[in-house]
Amino acid sequence: MTDNAQQQPSAPHTELPTQYAPADVEGPLYERWVERGYFEADAKSDKPAYTVVIPPPNVTGSLHLGHAFEHTLIDALTRRKRMQGFETLWQPGMDHAGIATQNVVERELGKEGKSRHDLGREAFVERVWQWKGESGGQISGQMRRLGDGVAWSRERFTMDEGLSQAVQTIFKRLYDDELIYRAERIINWCPRCLTAISDIEVEYQDDDGELVSMKYGEGDDTIVVATTRAETMLGDTAVAVHPDDERYKHLVGKEIRLPLTDRSIPVVADTHVDPEFGTGAVKVTPAHDPNDFEIGQRHDLPSLTVMDEHAVITAHGPFQGLDRLEARSAIVAALRAEGRIVAEKRPYVHSVGHCSRCKTTIEPRLSMQWWVKVGPLAKAAGDAVRDGRVKIHPQEMEKRYFDWVDNLHDWCISRQLWWGHRIPVWYGPNGEVVCVGPDDEVPTGEGWHQDTDVLDTWFSSGLWPFSTLGWPEQTESLAKFYPNSVLVTGYDILFFWVARMMMFGLYAMDGTPPFHTIALHGMVRDQFGKKMSKSFGNAVNPLDWMDKYGSDALRFTLARGANPGVDVPIGEDWVQGSRNFANKIWNATRFALMNGATVDGPLPEPSAMSATDRWILSRLNSVVAEVDALYEDFQFAKLSDALFHFAWDEVFDWYVELSKTTFQAGGPAAEVSKRVLGEVLDVTLKLLHPVVPFVTETLWTTLTGGESIVVADWPSDSGFRDAAAEREIESLQAVVTEVRRFRADQGLQPGQRVPARLELDGTPFAAHEAAIRQLLRLQPEGEAFSATATLPVAGATVALDLSGTIDVAAERKRLAKDLAAAEKEKAQATAKLGNEAFLAKAPDNVVDKIRGRLTKADEDITRIQAQLGRLPEA
C-alpha cells in the first residue's frame, strides 16, 4: 500500500453529486488527461520502458465490440504500468487497408457514375487521401470515448511518409538478399476486387455446388474424370492417374481427345493422384488449380489460361465471353448432348474459398506476382518462440503458431490495386529490372516505368512495432521502446499479422524479436456464445452501450469476460450490472466522504485498530498481491472478478456497514476507522482504475485531493496480514448470514425489527454485538421476551422472539406442504435411479438430470426440516 501522507496533499472532501452521471464526466475528463500529457512517452526518460502497439484498425472502419474489448485490455495493462513508474508507450495508429479502402472509394465513385479508370491512377489515389482526411478520424474519436490512453502525438498511418520509407527500405533489403522475387504461379484471384489475395485472406465455407463426372477420349481410350468446375476443362492439358493404378497403365503416355475442343491431351502418371478417390483419374488444368499447376511443372505441361481477370471465358469457341457460372452450365449441357456425362450430383456440398473482403468466390489463376521467400524468415520466427525469447500466452496456443510458421508457403505480396505502397521496382526498355531504395535515384529516360502493383497491406503492418518508432533511422524512440513489452491481439490474426511481425522484426532488427510476449485473447460473442454479425441481427454498436451505461460499465463487462485465448460472451444485462457496480463504488465513496474518511497522515498502528479495521487491511493487502499476480498472467477476468467481490462484498457490504456503528459512537475508534476507510478506498480505487478509469478518477481526486489517479503510485502489498482478525470477522459474517437467511425463510421484511437475545460470550466476536444488532435489525430483549426460535452458529446463540411477527401455524403448514413435495420428488428420482432397465436405456444426460433432481430434493428436505426445527410450537 502507499504512504498517502507523503505523496498526496490533504483531501478537500468536495461533496459528490448524489448520482454518478457518466455522460457529464467522461468527455471532459479524457480531454484533461490528454492536455496534461499523461499518455505521452518520453524517449529520454530514465524510467524502464513498457511498450504496446495498437493493432492498427482499418481506416475504413469504426469501433466495434472487438476493438472495444482489445483496447480495454491494452489500456488496463498500460495504465497499471504507468502507475508502477514505467515510461509507458501505447502506440496508436491506423492501417491503410488497401482492398477495403479502395472498395469504399470505388463505391462512392459508382454513385457518381464513375470508375477509378475515369479518374486515372494519380487522381484516384488523391481522391482516396481526400476520403481518408474526411472519414479517417472516426475511430480516433471513438477511442477517446472508450478512454484509450494512447500517445496521440505519436499517431501513425501505414501510408505516412516515415512508414513508406520503412516499407521501401525493407523491400530493397529483402530483394537484395534474394528473399523477394517475381514469378508466375497460381494465386487466389478475386474477380470482384480484381487483385490477388493471400491464402489467409481466403475464407472457406460450405457451398452447394455440383459434381459432374465426364468421359474423355474415345473407345478403349476413354477415361472418366469428375469436377466441380466444369468450365475449367477448356484449359485441361492432361489427365493424371497414379503410376501404380493397373486400370490405367495402358493409357499412360497416350494422347486422348479433350471434348468440346480440337485438342488432344496426354495421360500422365503422378503420385499426387489418390487411386482410391473417385475414378482414380483427375483432369489437369495447370493455369487454374494450384495442385494441377504442380503436376504441370513436374510433367512439363503447358498452362492455358481460359478466364480473364473478371472470370469471363476467353477460350475460343462457343463459350467465349460467358461468365464462369454461365459457362459451367453451358459446358455441362454441351457434354450431355455429346453423351459424355456419366453422372451428376446436385447439390454437392463442398468447401469453397471466398474473398474475405467482398465475399466473392475466388478463382485460382496463373499470374505473374511478387513473392517473399518465407523459409528462412519463418524458421527464425519459430525459433524465437522455441528458445523462449518470445512467449505465447496462453501457452497452448503455441501449437497453432508452430503449425502455421513451420508450414508456410511463399507469400504473394503484390496486389493489383492503386491504393497502397507501390512496389519500388522499375523496368527498362531492354528488360532491365531495378529495385529502388529510399536513397536511390529512380531510373529515368524513355521506356522506363514503375511496376503497377502495390504491396499487400500486411506487408506494411508487419513492420508496425519498429516502423512506428522511426526505423530505418536509429531514433531515440527505437532504442528506448523496441522491442515491445507485449502484443495483445486476437488469436484470429495470429497468422495474418503476428507471424509477419515476427518474421520482419527478427530480420530488420538483427535477430531481436518485436515483442517479449504475445498475449492472445478470444473473440467477442453474444450472450449465447454466437458470433456477432449484422446478418445474424445480434451485432452491437459499443457506442450505444457507452451512451446508455457509461464507458466504465462496458469496459468492466469486457474485462470480466476476458479469459486468455477464450471467446467472450457479452449481453446488455451484464453491462447494466457493471453500471450498477460503478454506482455502488460512487455511493460507497460518497458515504465515506460524508462520514469523514480521510487519507491524511500515516495509518494508525495495528494496536490502535479494531478487529474490523485490521481485517479489512489484511484482506486489502491480499487482494493487492492477488491482482498483481493475475495481471502478470494476463488473467483479466479473474482480476476483475476478484476486485468486484472485494469491493462490493467485503468493503461496501461489510466494512462500510460494520463501520457505521463505530462512526455513530464517535471517539478515537471512529477516527481510526475513518483513516482506515480512506486507505481502503484509496487503494481499491487505484486497483480498479486501469479497468474503470473515469469513475475512479473522479472519486479518487475528490477523496485524496491528488492531481490525478492516472499518475498516482500503484499500490504495493505492505505484507500486513492478520489471520486472527480475518477469522473473527468471518465468524461474525457467518452469524449475520445465517440469521439473515432464517429471517428470509420466515418471510420477514429486511427492515422489520425483531426482539433478540445474543449469547456471544466465549466467541471471538463478542465485542461486535452492536454491529450485529444493527445489521440484523435486532431489538433488545425487553421484559416480555420469549425465545420462539434459537439459532446456534459459529459458537454463538441467537434467540429470536417471533411472536407477533409471523403466523407460526400457517408457516408450519406451508413448510409441511413443501416438505411433502420434496419427499415425493426424492422418492420418484430414487425409484428411477434404482431401475436397472431404465438406466440401461436412458441417455446419459437424462440420467444426470434425474441425479441432479435427487440432490436438490435432498437439499430441500434438509433445509425445510431445519426451518421447521427452528419454529416454536404452534
Side-chain angles (χ1 to χ4, degrees):
M1 293 183 289
T2 54
D3 186 350
N4 292 290
Q6 296 179 12
Q7 75 161 28
Q8 298 159 181
S10 178
H13 287 186
T14 305
E15 187 174 336
L16 289 167
T18 56
Q19 289 185 325
Y20 176 49
D24 298 338
V25 171
E26 294 174 352
L29 202 52
Y30 185 83
E31 292 310 314
R32 192 182 316 146
W33 289 335
V34 173
E35 288 167 7
R36 292 179 178 178
Y38 292 152
F39 305 140
E40 296 303 322
D42 181 5
K44 294 182 171 63
S45 168
D46 58 4
K47 296 178 183 179
Y50 187 82
T51 316
V52 186
V53 293
I54 196 170
N58 288 352
V59 68
T60 57
S62 60
L63 193 72
H64 55 64
L65 269 180
H67 287 124
F69 172 57
E70 187 167 76
H71 290 199
T72 294
L73 305 187
I74 299 174
D75 198 40
L77 290 174
T78 51
R79 283 179 182 271
R80 172 175 174 262
K81 286 296 183 180
R82 190 177 293 113
M83 295 172 75
Q84 287 183 314
F86 286 77
E87 193 62 36
T88 303
L89 169 61
W90 182 10
Q91 174 67 52
M94 282 183 283
D95 192 282
H96 66 279
I99 296 176
T101 304
Q102 180 157 318
N103 282 345
V104 168
V105 178
E106 286 196 82
R107 281 197 296 270
E108 292 298 312
L109 283 174
K111 295 175 184 177
E112 302 170 16
K114 297 178 181 177
S115 74
R116 61 181 163 124
H117 300 285
D118 294 324
L119 272 66
R121 183 167 192 146
E122 188 174 333
F124 176 77
V125 171
E126 189 176 318
R127 177 72 175 260
V128 180
W129 276 107
Q130 178 186 340
W131 176 89
K132 188 261 180 186
E134 295 168 355
S135 305
Q138 184 177 1
I139 279 191
S140 297
Q142 293 167 338
M143 288 168 62
R144 284 174 157 84
R145 281 291 312 277
L146 191 64
D148 287 1
V150 299
W152 287 112
S153 69
R154 292 173 172 266
E155 187 173 13
R156 303 302 298 269
F157 180 54
T158 51
M159 288 278 286
D160 69 28
E161 184 177 350
L163 268 65
S164 295
Q165 183 183 18
V167 168
Q168 196 172 353
T169 298
I170 202 163
F171 187 100
K172 170 70 171 172
R173 291 189 187 177
L174 289 163
Y175 181 87
D176 289 347
D177 287 342
E178 298 183 349
L179 292 172
I180 281 183
Y181 63 94
R182 192 169 183 242
E184 189 175 45
R185 291 188 179 179
I186 291 284
I187 46 90
N188 303 299
W189 181 264
C190 177
R192 159 62 183 79
C193 298
L194 298 180
T195 181
I197 58 176
S198 66
D199 291 343
I200 55 177
E201 292 170 304
V202 178
E203 294 179 350
Y204 287 90
Q205 66 184 46
D206 288 341
D207 286 357
D208 286 346
E210 61 180 2
L211 181 65
V212 178
S213 297
M214 46 198 183
K215 185 168 57 176
Y216 288 7
E218 305 291 346
D220 293 337
D221 293 344
T222 59
I223 195 165
V224 175
V225 297
T227 183
T228 58
R229 300 163 65 218
E231 67 279 9
T232 63
M233 61 87 60
L234 300 174
D236 286 359
T237 57
V239 171
V241 297
H242 194 276
D244 298 332
D245 195 331
E246 294 293 336
R247 293 172 295 176
Y248 303 117
K249 279 199 171 182
H250 68 289
L251 289 176
V252 174
K254 285 189 175 182
E255 298 262 333
I256 61 172
R257 178 172 172 258
L258 180 66
L260 308 183
T261 71
D262 58 0
R263 293 189 292 115
S264 291
I265 57 176
V267 177
V268 299
D270 195 282
T271 54
H272 170 76
V273 179
D274 180 1
E276 302 299 321
F277 184 77
T279 64
V282 296
K283 57 190 287 299
V284 182
T285 321
H288 293 278
D289 183 274
N291 293 322
D292 293 3
F293 178 78
E294 297 296 332
I295 294 175
Q297 293 288 294
R298 288 193 289 273
H299 297 276
D300 199 24
L301 299 173
S303 296
L304 301 181
T305 299
V306 295
M307 271 182 270
D308 68 10
E309 60 185 7
H310 298 278
V312 171
I313 300 298
T314 57
H316 293 296
F319 311 108
Q320 188 174 9
L322 294 180
D323 170 82
R324 56 183 164 169
L325 298 182
E326 296 171 333
R328 184 176 300 171
S329 298
I331 286 171
V332 171
L335 289 168
R336 191 184 298 114
E338 287 193 5
R340 290 190 173 271
I341 298 296
V342 175
E344 296 178 71
K345 185 176 181 181
R346 297 189 186 89
Y348 178 72
V349 178
H350 61 134
S351 182
V352 178
H354 296 259
C355 173
S356 62
R357 300 296 180 185
C358 69
K359 312 309 177 187
T360 300
T361 300
I362 61 102
E363 192 65 43
R365 186 169 188 256
L366 186 63
S367 179
M368 182 68 75
Q369 301 287 343
W370 285 94
W371 305 80
V372 171
K373 185 186 294 183
V374 299
L377 303 174
K379 182 182 183 304
D383 289 345
V385 175
R386 286 189 170 95
D387 64 24
R389 282 175 289 156
V390 178
K391 297 188 182 303
I392 294 180
H393 191 279
Q395 191 174 1
E396 54 265 27
M397 287 286 180
E398 282 187 2
K399 183 180 184 302
R400 297 181 66 175
Y401 177 78
F402 292 136
D403 285 347
W404 181 256
V405 298
D406 292 347
N407 297 285
L408 269 179
H409 298 112
D410 284 1
W411 171 20
C412 177
I413 55 171
S414 45
R415 299 292 180 266
Q416 290 64 55
L417 303 170
W418 288 355
W419 173 245
H421 294 282
R422 196 163 173 182
I423 287 175
V425 172
W426 269 255
Y427 304 104
N430 299 311
E432 302 95 332
V433 179
V434 177
C435 181
V436 176
D439 299 323
D440 299 334
E441 289 189 13
V442 173
T444 57
E446 187 176 348
W448 283 92
H449 64 281
Q450 187 178 0
D451 196 299
T452 56
D453 289 351
V454 301
L455 287 164
D456 177 12
T457 298
W458 297 103
F459 190 95
S460 51
S461 59
L463 315 181
W464 191 248
F466 51 94
S467 64
T468 52
L469 298 173
W471 188 90
E473 300 300 323
Q474 297 305 304
T475 64
E476 287 183 317
S477 289
L478 188 64
K480 178 73 174 179
F481 296 113
Y482 187 92
N484 291 187
S485 306
V486 62
L487 173 73
V488 180
T489 191
Y491 63 70
D492 58 315
I493 58 172
L494 183 61
F495 317 128
F496 284 85
W497 189 42
V498 179
R500 279 146 174 68
M501 286 190 289
M502 286 285 283
M503 290 191 295
F504 282 166
L506 289 158
Y507 174 79
M509 299 301 293
D510 299 320
T512 303
F515 18 74
H516 297 302
T517 302
I518 302 167
L520 298 171
H521 59 71
M523 312 296 292
V524 178
R525 297 182 178 272
D526 72 12
Q527 64 196 81
F528 307 108
K530 191 174 181 180
K531 181 180 178 180
M532 285 192 172
S533 165
K534 290 181 181 178
S535 60
F536 293 156
N538 63 349
V540 173
N541 183 344
L543 292 175
D544 293 341
W545 282 352
M546 287 192 278
D547 289 341
K548 195 170 182 179
Y549 303 111
S551 298
D552 284 333
L554 176 63
R555 288 171 61 116
F556 192 73
T557 304
L558 291 166
R560 205 173 174 193
N563 290 297
V566 178
D567 288 346
V568 183
I570 184 172
E572 185 169 0
D573 288 350
W574 306 342
V575 185
Q576 186 175 354
S578 295
R579 189 271 313 272
N580 296 342
F581 179 53
N583 288 342
K584 185 81 170 180
I585 302 169
W586 183 273
N587 291 333
T589 307
R590 187 168 176 271
F591 164 84
L593 291 171
M594 290 170 61
N595 283 275
T598 179
V599 296
D600 292 344
L603 278 171
E605 290 297 319
S607 59
M609 298 179 189
S610 68
T612 308
D613 295 331
R614 297 195 307 276
W615 161 72
I616 198 63
L617 289 176
S618 181
R619 288 291 306 125
L620 179 66
N621 276 285
S622 294
V623 169
V624 170
E626 181 183 8
V627 167
D628 273 334
L630 291 170
Y631 260 117
E632 295 305 315
D633 199 34
F634 306 101
Q635 297 283 355
F636 296 98
K638 289 181 179 178
L639 71 88
S640 299
D641 209 48
L643 286 170
F644 174 87
H645 286 295
F646 174 71
W648 192 307
D649 299 345
E650 299 186 75
V651 178
F652 306 150
D653 279 359
W654 284 106
Y655 183 71
V656 168
E657 292 300 318
L658 289 169
S659 298
K660 286 180 180 178
T661 54
T662 308
F663 293 153
Q664 289 167 2
E671 295 307 310
V672 170
S673 290
K674 289 175 184 177
R675 178 66 189 87
V676 171
L677 179 55
E679 178 76 7
V680 170
L681 286 175
D682 172 29
V683 173
T684 302
L685 290 171
K686 288 175 180 175
L687 293 174
L688 284 164
H689 172 72
V691 181
V692 285
F694 294 107
V695 68
T696 52
E697 168 82 333
T698 306
L699 295 175
W700 186 85
T701 52
T702 304
L703 172 71
T704 68
E707 177 189 343
S708 171
I709 197 171
V710 176
V711 291
D713 289 340
W714 181 255
S716 59
D717 176 9
S718 70
F720 175 77
R721 301 289 191 279
D722 193 323
E726 290 195 34
R727 287 194 299 271
E728 181 173 332
I729 300 306
E730 286 169 6
S731 297
L732 181 153
Q733 291 171 328
V735 172
V736 172
T737 301
E738 183 62 26
V739 177
R740 279 177 173 167
R741 185 183 297 117
F742 176 76
R743 287 178 57 111
D745 287 342
Q746 306 309 316
L748 296 176
Q749 295 300 313
Q752 188 173 355
R753 294 196 169 272
V754 177
R757 179 172 63 243
L758 272 59
E759 299 174 6
L760 307 179
D761 292 345
T763 66
F765 49 92
H768 298 283
E769 180 168 351
I772 292 172
R773 285 188 177 277
Q774 179 162 315
L775 289 168
L776 292 172
R777 305 293 190 268
L778 301 179
Q779 297 176 184
E781 299 173 47
E783 293 182 5
F785 179 81
S786 174
T788 59
T790 302
L791 306 176
V793 58
T797 300
V798 180
L800 302 173
D801 183 354
L802 301 179
S803 58
T805 59
I806 62 171
D807 183 336
V808 175
E811 185 65 12
R812 279 190 170 279
K813 186 177 180 180
R814 182 185 70 79
L815 289 172
K817 183 179 178 181
D818 290 348
L819 181 60
E823 288 172 338
K824 181 180 179 182
E825 175 73 2
K826 177 180 179 178
Q828 290 175 342
T830 301
K832 283 192 175 183
L833 293 173
N835 185 334
E836 294 296 335
F838 170 77
L839 292 176
K841 295 179 181 178
D844 289 345
N845 64 318
V846 173
V847 175
D848 289 342
K849 187 175 181 181
I850 293 171
R851 287 190 178 122
R853 284 167 49 192
L854 178 59
T855 300
K856 185 178 184 304
D858 278 331
E859 291 171 351
D860 288 344
I861 290 169
T862 302
R863 175 180 54 80
I864 296 167
Q865 287 175 338
Q867 289 177 246
L868 282 166
R870 293 177 188 135
L871 283 175
E873 294 298 325

